[in-house]
Amino acid sequence: MARLRLSEEHNPEVDTNDLRMMERAIELARQAGENGEIPVGAVVYRGEKIIAEAANNREATADPTGHAEMVALRLAGERLGAWRLEGCSMAVTLEPCPMCAGALVNARLEQVIYGAYDPKAGACCSLYDIPGDQRLNHRVHMIGGIEEARCAELLRAFFRRRRAERRQVG
């Protein structure tokens, strides 16, 4: 079932710390786009402390699991010395896909805030609700639409540039 879409101005669950983490995720996404990666950034945090951060790196690493969320979760587990990231939250600029949504559940994250909704591959509200699926042994609290316009514009601008470059070559 789709979750209610609220902007951060109307969502009391999102505090200034969450917004600060989303700002960092947006900066990571911007850098990824400049490096030729799809501009998605993710930050794993506990309270005000950043545990790990990452951006998409599939092109640079030739790794199909090189989504920002997956890389950030891997780094957070290494840093904490545990795969259970209980008490941690994540800010990510795009609604997680099925692979990433499953990893969020398996990592036992407490909460994820995300920016742009993904109507083609989103697995937290748009197409599926993996983090909220009652059949799974853990659920992750999801809040979507945080800085949605900014996050979506990063993606739109990236794909506009990519299409323009392909037209020039082709």
Side-chain angles (χ1 to χ4, degrees), residues 24-87:
R24 178 64 185 145
I26 290 169
E27 180 55 34
L28 292 164
R30 185 175 292 113
Q31 292 169 9
E34 291 169 1
N35 292 329
E37 301 282 353
I38 294 174
V40 178
V43 176
V44 176
Y45 58 102
R46 186 180 284 151
E48 294 185 10
K49 181 179 182 185
I50 292 176
I51 306 298
E53 59 185 27
N56 275 3
N57 68 8
R58 290 190 307 172
E59 300 300 328
T61 63
D63 179 359
T65 68
H67 291 200
E69 302 96 306
M70 299 294 286
V71 178
L73 289 173
R74 198 172 298 120
L75 293 171
E78 289 171 7
R79 179 152 188 213
L80 295 174
W83 62 267
R84 288 180 188 90
L85 303 180
E86 294 166 335

Side-chain angles (χ1 to χ4, degrees), residues 5 94-95 116-123 125-128 148 155:
R5 295 181 183 198
L94 179 64
E95 179 183 357
Y117 291 89
D118 187 350
K120 293 182 180 180
C125 169
S126 295
L127 295 178
Y128 308 103
E148 181 178 9
L155 291 159

Side-chain angles (χ1 to χ4, degrees), residues 2-167:
R3 295 207 170 109
L4 182 62
R5 295 181 183 198
L6 298 173
S7 71
E8 61 273 14
E9 293 82 21
H10 299 94
N11 193 329
E13 295 178 290
V14 177
D15 63 24
T16 56
N17 186 58
D18 295 321
L19 294 175
R20 186 173 65 85
M21 297 303 172
M22 181 58 82
E23 283 297 324
R24 178 64 185 145
I26 290 169
E27 180 55 34
L28 292 164
R30 185 175 292 113
Q31 292 169 9
E34 291 169 1
N35 292 329
E37 301 282 353
I38 294 174
V40 178
V43 176
V44 176
Y45 58 102
R46 186 180 284 151
E48 294 185 10
K49 181 179 182 185
I50 292 176
I51 306 298
E53 59 185 27
N56 275 3
N57 68 8
R58 290 190 307 172
E59 300 300 328
T61 63
D63 179 359
T65 68
H67 291 200
E69 302 96 306
M70 299 294 286
V71 178
L73 289 173
R74 198 172 298 120
L75 293 171
E78 289 171 7
R79 179 152 188 213
L80 295 174
W83 62 267
R84 288 180 188 90
L85 303 180
E86 294 166 335
C88 291
S89 297
M90 177 183 281
V92 61
T93 57
L94 179 64
E95 179 183 357
C97 71
M99 172 182 69
C100 295
L104 299 172
V105 170
N106 283 312
R108 309 295 196 265
L109 281 180
E110 184 175 314
Q111 171 179 282
V112 173
I113 62 170
Y114 61 91
Y117 291 89
D118 187 350
K120 293 182 180 180
C124 301
C125 169
S126 295
L127 295 178
Y128 308 103
D129 183 14
I130 292 171
D133 193 318
Q134 295 294 316
R135 296 169 294 181
L136 300 175
N137 65 341
H138 180 77
R139 273 150 302 288
V140 181
H141 183 67
M142 305 298 292
I143 303 170
I146 307 306
E147 296 293 346
E148 181 178 9
R150 292 174 60 204
C151 294
E153 182 52 33
L154 277 173
L155 291 159
R156 279 193 297 272
F158 175 83
F159 287 111
R160 272 194 306 267
R161 283 191 309 275
R162 183 182 267 182
R163 284 189 298 273
E165 289 167 2
R166 287 185 179 157
R167 278 192 298 271

